């Protein structure tokens, strides 16, 4: 990264930073409802080699895309301008300055990422968070990881135009090696939950279906609006406020079948996060498998964000002996997670690959999800 930066910009970067992608173990579409989620960071990261500038110029380059350096003026950055991939790091600079951090007077940034794009593994959040961490360090802004995550979310919401919740950015910023992150999306309180699968003879597989999803096409926003409408009709600020025990009564008060389905999913998935936490605290990791599969059925039938490839992963893995499986992320493609006994991982993987071949689908990419560290600085200028 440092060498690539020097070749581009003619000087040594002031440092290199990393921020990971994530998989979400349980709790989907609950974050913008101020509910609970439980992601874990992946070893796959976005990397950024960065130096400060004092002339108001922001230069951006990606090693992963054959495009020239994008040169922007920090004073004229405008939301929702079609900047492609560059909108994510540029949006972070915009969000920082909008929040009063006008000390950020420009930067040279060289980026690369091993987080698969369009796979539901938060490649965009990784780009945002690595940019935020680098600028926070270089400009000595003194912002905590959670504050940087919120600003990165604002970049995606208000600059890029995707109405995502804060889970992806919080996972990238705050996860800890060997743990899953229990996040309360109302107050952003966190708890690091030990998640040492290998010690229990288990493995969590990620199956990237290679069906690329895009959350800016309106389907995600429509479901968010439906959840907000459900909360309005039920007289609460967010669906987080509907107790699971009172869900049947709440559903009878909703006339719109679509809104009813969305509410049922969100309230039930919040409860599934709580059940998962209780099982992990009790040391009964294997018992979370059926909770994952139950969550997939809800995403498929109530939220209706699955696709044939994701459904095939879940069904095939279950038939091949997996403990549980579900789609993860925003849906309409992307990835699934599969909990397996370590000794069954190869057989389950083969069954999924064979099923995709028989169905005529693209060959999926399968790899283990190893709970990894959140964003950090990885090197300084020599």
């Amino acid at each position: 990264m440092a060498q690539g930066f020097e070749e581009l910009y003619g000087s040594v970067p002031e440092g290199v930073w990393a921020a990971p992608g994530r998989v979400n173990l349980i709790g989907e579409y609950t974050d913008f409802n101020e509910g609970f989620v439980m992601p874990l960071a992946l070893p796959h990261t976005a990397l950024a080699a960065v130096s400060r500038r004092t002339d108001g110029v922001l230069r951006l380059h990606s090693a992963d895309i054959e495009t020239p350096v994008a040169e922007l003026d920090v004073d004229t950055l405008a939301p929702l301008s079609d900047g492609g991939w560059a909108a994510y790091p540029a949006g972070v600079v915009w969000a920082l300055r909008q929040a009063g951090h006008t000390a950020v007077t420009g930067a040279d940034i060289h980026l690369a990422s091993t987080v698969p794009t369009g796979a539901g593994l938060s490649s965009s959040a990784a780009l945002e968070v690595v940019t935020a961490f680098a600028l926070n360090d270089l400009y000595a802004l003194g912002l905590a990881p959670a504050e940087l995550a919120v600003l990165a979310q604002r970049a995606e919401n208000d600059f890029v135009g995707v109405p995502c919740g804060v889970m992806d950015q919080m996972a990238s910023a705050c996860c800890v090696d060997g743990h899953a992150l229990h996040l309360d999306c109302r107050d952003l309180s966190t708890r690091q939950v030990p998640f040492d699968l290998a010690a229990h003879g288990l493995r969590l597989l990620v199956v990237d279906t290679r069906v690329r999803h895009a959350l800016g096409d309106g389907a995600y926003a429509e479901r968010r609006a439906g959840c907000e409408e459900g909360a309005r009709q039920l007289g609460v600020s967010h669906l987080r406020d509907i107790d699971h025990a009172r869900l049947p009564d709440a559903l009878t008060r909703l006339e719109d079948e679509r809104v009813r389905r969305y509410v049922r999913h969100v309230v039930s998935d919040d409860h599934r996060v709580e059940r998962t936490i209780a099982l992990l605290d009790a040391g009964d990791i294997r018992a979370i498998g059926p909770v994952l599969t139950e969550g997939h059925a809800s995403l498929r039938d109530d939220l209706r964000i699955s696709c044939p490839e994701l459904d095939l992963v879940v069904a095939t893995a279950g038939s091949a002996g997996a403990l549980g499986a579900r789609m993860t992320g925003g849906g309409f493609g992307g990835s699934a997670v599969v909990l397996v006994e370590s000794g069954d991982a190869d057989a389950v993987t083969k069954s999924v690959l064979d099923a995709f071949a028989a169905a005529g689908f693209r060959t999926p990419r399968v790899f283990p999800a190893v709970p990894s560290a959140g964003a950090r600085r990885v090197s300084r200028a020599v």
Side-chain angles (χ1 to χ4, degrees), residues 307-332:
C307 66
E309 290 85 352
L310 288 167
D311 293 341
L312 184 60
V313 173
V314 173
T316 302
S319 297
L323 298 170
R326 75 174 192 94
M327 60 149 287
T328 185
F332 311 103

Side-chain angles (χ1 to χ4, degrees), residues 95-96 99 101 104 132-133 135-137 140-149 151:
L96 285 166
H101 302 291
V104 180
F133 266 67
L135 297 175
N136 184 57
D137 285 352
L141 302 180
L143 298 171
E147 294 176 292
L148 294 170
L151 286 168

Side-chain angles (χ1 to χ4, degrees), residues 4-22:
F5 182 99
E6 189 169 3
E7 291 172 355
L8 281 168
Y9 301 124
S11 62
V12 175
E14 294 184 80
V16 179
W17 287 258
R22 66 96 187 96

Side-chain angles (χ1 to χ4, degrees), residues 43-301:
H44 307 72
T45 59
L47 293 167
V50 186
S51 286
R52 288 167 289 182
R53 295 182 67 100
T54 59
D55 58 0
V57 173
L58 174 65
R59 293 196 291 182
L60 301 167
H61 181 264
S62 170
D64 305 319
I65 304 171
E66 291 188 10
T67 56
V69 173
E71 186 166 316
L72 305 169
D73 181 347
V74 298
D75 289 325
T76 59
L77 292 173
L80 307 182
S81 53
D82 186 12
W85 70 269
Y88 296 98
V92 171
V93 175
W94 174 85
L96 285 166
R97 290 174 60 83
Q98 287 287 306
H101 302 291
T102 54
V104 180
T105 52
D108 287 336
I109 303 178
H110 175 53
L111 294 152
S113 180
T114 59
V115 185
T117 59
L121 303 176
S122 298
S123 59
S124 60
L127 286 179
E128 294 156 359
V129 170
V130 75
T131 303
F133 266 67
L135 297 175
N136 184 57
D137 285 352
L138 289 175
Y139 283 100
L141 302 180
L143 298 171
E147 294 176 292
L148 294 170
V150 170
L151 286 168
Q153 180 204 13
R154 186 182 179 196
E156 188 150 349
N157 287 176
D158 297 340
F159 194 88
V160 181
V162 177
C164 65
V166 76
M167 173 183 66
D168 296 350
Q169 292 81 6
M170 282 291 292
S172 187
C174 301
C175 277
V176 170
D177 186 38
H179 293 71
L181 180 72
H182 182 207
L183 170 64
D184 184 331
C185 296
R186 169 157 288 171
D187 60 11
L188 299 189
S189 60
T190 61
R191 177 186 168 204
Q192 303 293 343
V193 181
F195 198 58
D196 187 353
L197 295 171
H200 291 82
L202 298 171
R203 194 176 298 178
L204 187 69
L205 302 176
V206 176
V207 182
D208 175 7
T209 65
R210 300 174 71 190
V211 177
R212 294 295 173 246
H213 75 160
L215 297 187
D217 63 359
Y220 180 95
E222 186 276 329
R223 281 153 180 79
R224 178 165 185 162
C227 290
E228 291 168 351
E229 175 61 20
R232 188 192 66 78
Q233 291 184 22
L234 293 170
V236 296
S237 65
H238 292 83
L239 294 182
R240 146 71 172 275
D241 297 311
I242 303 299
D243 186 86
H244 184 259
R246 301 183 62 185
L247 177 59
D249 175 65
L251 295 177
T252 64
R253 295 158 55 194
L254 299 170
E255 295 182 0
D256 187 318
E257 185 268 343
R258 175 185 57 90
V259 171
R260 191 183 308 119
R261 285 190 283 103
Y262 295 173
V263 170
R264 181 165 53 224
H265 165 75
V266 170
V267 177
S268 297
D269 231 33
D270 268 338
H271 187 53
R272 278 185 280 271
V273 176
E274 294 175 328
R275 289 162 59 196
T276 298
I277 288 290
L279 291 168
L280 292 178
D281 284 346
D284 195 1
I285 298 182
R286 285 169 175 79
I288 73 172
V291 183
L292 301 183
T293 305
E294 179 187 310
H296 181 79
S298 180
L299 291 162
R300 180 192 65 213
D301 300 336

